[in-house]
Amino acid sequence: MGWLWAIIVGLVLGLIAKAILPGKQQIPLWLTIICGMVGSILGNAVATWIGVNDTKGIDWTRHVLQLIGAVVIVGLGDMLYASLRGNRQRT
């Protein structure tokens, strides 16, 4: 059940990150999910590092850090995917 939850969270964070980033991203849905999952892991690591990973109630700081991580990873993944595919022009 943990992997299913990770895929769902990766999908949601990846899609929100694509909506936040300006312009049109070239990455497919499967790569958006993977980037969202990696961003979530990165956000959790930063939250643990600064000591806000487990608080009473909703962990808003951790969720914001996960979203920031997803935005960064989706942006980097889009640039890498576009350069590998040869689509360097942004529309």
Side-chain angles (χ1 to χ4, degrees):
M1 191 67 174
W3 282 104
L4 179 62
W5 187 246
I7 291 170
I8 292 169
V9 169
L11 173 66
V12 170
L13 284 175
L15 291 176
I16 292 172
K18 282 180 78 169
I20 290 173
L21 288 169
K24 183 179 184 319
Q25 287 75 42
Q26 306 290 326
I27 60 175
L29 183 61
W30 65 268
L31 191 54
T32 302
I33 295 170
I34 292 172
C35 289
M37 291 169 62
V38 172
S40 174
I41 292 168
L42 179 66
N44 281 337
V46 171
T48 301
W49 181 61
I50 63 175
V52 295
N53 62 327
D54 190 24
T55 60
K56 292 183 181 181
I58 299 174
D59 297 330
W60 291 110
T61 306
R62 182 173 54 104
H63 296 316
V64 169
L65 290 171
Q66 288 176 334
L67 182 59
I68 291 169
V71 168
V72 169
I73 299 298
V74 167
L76 291 174
D78 180 52
M79 289 189 307
L80 181 63
Y81 185 78
S83 68
L84 290 175
R85 300 264 315 183
N87 301 333
R88 294 176 191 238
Q89 287 185 339
R90 304 289 301 225
T91 56

